[in-house]
Amino acid sequence: MAAFKRISDMGDLSGKVALVRVDFNVPMSSGVVADDTRIRAAIPTIQALLAKDAKVVLMSHFGRPKGEVNPKMSLRPLVEPLEHALGEAVTFGEDTIGDPARKAVAGDTRVVLLENLRFHQGEEANDPAFAKALASLGDLYVNDAFSAAHRAHASTEGIAHILPSCAGETMAMELDALENALGSPQHPVVAIVGGAKVSSKLNVLTNLVEKVDHLIIGGGMANTFLFAKGIAIGASLAERDLADTAREIMVRADTHGCTIHLPTDGVATKEFAENAPHRITAVTDIREDEMILDVGPQTVDALNAVLGQAKTLVWNGPMGAFEMKPFDRATVALAVEAAKLTRAGSLLSVAGGGDTVSALSLAGVVGDFSHVSTAGGAFLEWMEGKVLPGIAALTQSDMRHE
């Protein structure tokens, strides 16, 4: 990953206005913030800038208003929880650009929150004029929204071409973790990739087999690979039409010295339901009317042994239908083992994606992993080896504003 500047690299910021792209696209319930995780994640960046005597102007999208003003998607309800998390007053800007924004920035408070970026079509269109209007409000640009870094929008990409730019504290922490996990990791590297469909993670699998030493495949995806190997998987969820693709990935893995680990036993049931009657059996002994909803204890023991030899772990996706007991056991068992190894200092563990975060929360180990990314699309595209526009713009900004 190319070098990027951090807040600490930006010199004297006294009297400067820092435009900070955050992701405040938070869940709401009856007009009130239901989960303030993303708000709290921005606090270290705000505090670091305030400590350098900068004024902080926060920019975010919320929902999909499609370039039109929609009062239901206003960021105004976030002012109070932001003030609570920050411990100081926050001014709300009635618009993202123009006089209302300038008036808010010119006020006495040290922190300003501007209205929803996506009320303007220029945001998602990455319109240069809109990016310029945003940039005119400040002296430097700080990107602290990794979860939006895969979007080439005016506030994530365009503005970085205009102002001196750097990564916020949370963004820098995320990029450091990702670099340590796949950019220049300590080997052996293990990747766990689960979830329902091979098709949704085809590029991830293709990229990972060239970078990791061990690839553990779980969830419905594992069934597709078992089917591709000629194993009868009964009524299990699988993309049988992707058998050739699965075989190609296995050949590619072999070529690059990557060992693919598939289940040897599974938890089989006849109905997709909580606490459905089930049995543990070899994957070669699945009946026609049965489906595999989790990997079995023999597989978990073998995979725990693989983790025990690893130095680095990248995890995206559950091993089974973890939302329903008892089909959460394998995911929880592996999460607990990875957490134990991380606490012991023998494993660097990086996990990301919505279902993965939910699974780690279920296991009670989110705080024990080296890094847990809440980013969905951005984390997945990073695992695919793609260049994220928001990150590329930051690294290129270094060169333009030297």
Side-chain angles (χ1 to χ4, degrees):
M1 187 183 294
F4 58 90
K5 280 195 168 73
R6 302 163 193 263
I7 292 172
S8 57
D9 300 320
M10 299 305 281
D12 181 17
L13 297 181
S14 300
K16 298 282 180 72
V17 175
L19 298 175
V20 186
R21 178 55 156 98
V22 291
D23 184 356
F24 283 176
N25 192 25
V26 297
M28 305 285 285
S29 177
S30 303
V32 177
V33 174
D35 181 351
D36 70 347
T37 302
R38 285 182 164 173
I39 292 173
R40 285 184 286 108
I43 301 302
T45 293
I46 298 170
Q47 289 175 335
L49 290 163
L50 292 178
K52 288 171 86 66
D53 291 325
K55 170 164 275 199
V56 178
V57 178
L58 303 169
M59 310 179 292
S60 178
H61 72 285
F62 183 82
R64 298 178 184 276
K66 299 184 178 173
E68 303 201 352
V69 175
N70 182 340
K72 291 180 180 177
M73 295 183 190
S74 172
L75 287 172
R76 184 181 282 280
L78 275 66
V79 171
E80 191 176 333
L82 176 58
E83 288 179 329
H84 179 74
L86 188 58
E88 69 173 89
V90 174
T91 294
F92 183 67
E94 301 289 343
D95 199 351
T96 314
I97 56 172
D99 288 339
R102 280 193 289 273
K103 183 181 175 185
V105 173
D108 294 333
T109 57
R110 301 197 298 167
V111 181
V112 176
L113 174 63
L114 298 179
E115 185 54 283
N116 192 342
L117 287 159
R118 290 186 182 172
F119 283 178
H120 293 269
Q121 291 185 349
E123 163 62 1
E124 292 187 82
N126 198 4
D127 176 23
F130 183 66
K132 193 174 178 182
L134 289 175
S136 70
L137 298 171
D139 304 297
L140 69 147
Y141 168 68
V142 183
N143 192 340
D144 206 36
F146 176 76
S147 50
H150 60 312
R151 305 289 187 210
H153 292 169
S155 69
T156 59
E157 202 270 346
I159 193 171
H161 294 269
I162 304 169
L163 293 175
S165 306
C166 70
E169 299 294 291
T170 304
M171 171 76 92
M173 184 175 70
E174 184 106 34
L175 296 181
D176 287 343
L178 300 187
E179 177 64 17
N180 291 335
L182 276 189
S184 50
Q186 280 193 295
H187 289 265
V189 182
V190 175
I192 297 176
V193 182
K197 294 184 174 182
V198 171
S199 54
S200 64
K201 295 185 181 174
L202 194 55
N203 294 335
V204 171
L205 297 171
T206 304
N207 182 47
L208 288 180
V209 293
E210 297 183 8
K211 293 190 173 180
V212 307
D213 305 292
H214 297 273
L215 176 58
I216 294 169
I217 300 177
M221 287 199 296
N223 299 333
T224 300
F225 278 81
L226 292 172
F227 177 78
K229 292 183 72 155
I231 295 170
I233 56 171
S236 300
L237 171 72
E239 292 174 295
R240 290 163 177 79
D241 57 327
L242 288 183
D244 286 345
T245 302
R247 283 189 283 268
E248 285 168 16
I249 290 170
M250 288 188 276
V251 169
R252 187 186 285 259
D254 203 37
T255 304
H256 288 89
C258 169
T259 303
I260 289 183
H261 299 269
L262 295 170
T264 54
D265 64 337
V267 183
T269 179
K270 294 181 182 180
E271 55 179 308
F272 189 84
E274 181 106 8
N275 293 315
H278 58 276
R279 68 186 184 106
I280 294 164
T281 182
V283 293
T284 51
D285 185 35
I286 303 297
R287 297 164 189 156
E288 278 189 26
D289 59 351
E290 287 181 324
M291 60 186 108
I292 307 168
L293 288 191
D294 198 10
V295 304
Q298 179 186 332
T299 301
V300 169
D301 287 345
L303 297 181
N304 279 342
V306 173
L307 290 179
Q309 301 299 312
K311 294 285 186 199
T312 306
L313 169 67
V314 182
W315 189 338
N316 176 258
M319 297 301 293
F322 77 100
E323 308 94 335
M324 304 185 298
K325 293 186 181 304
F327 310 111
D328 59 344
R329 285 178 184 162
T331 301
V332 169
L334 285 175
V336 167
E337 182 67 16
K340 184 182 84 174
L341 294 167
T342 305
R343 286 196 305 272
S346 64
L347 183 70
L348 175 104
S349 52
V350 174
D355 279 352
T356 313
V357 176
S358 297
L360 297 186
S361 297
L362 180 70
V365 299
V366 170
D368 293 321
F369 270 56
S370 306
H371 182 72
V372 176
S373 174
T374 55
F379 188 82
L380 211 55
E381 290 196 16
W382 166 76
M383 286 185 77
E384 292 174 0
K386 288 184 179 175
V387 175
L388 306 183
I391 309 306
L394 277 188
T395 55
Q396 289 159 12
S397 179
D398 284 354
M399 296 178 278
R400 282 191 298 273
H401 298 283
E402 286 296 339

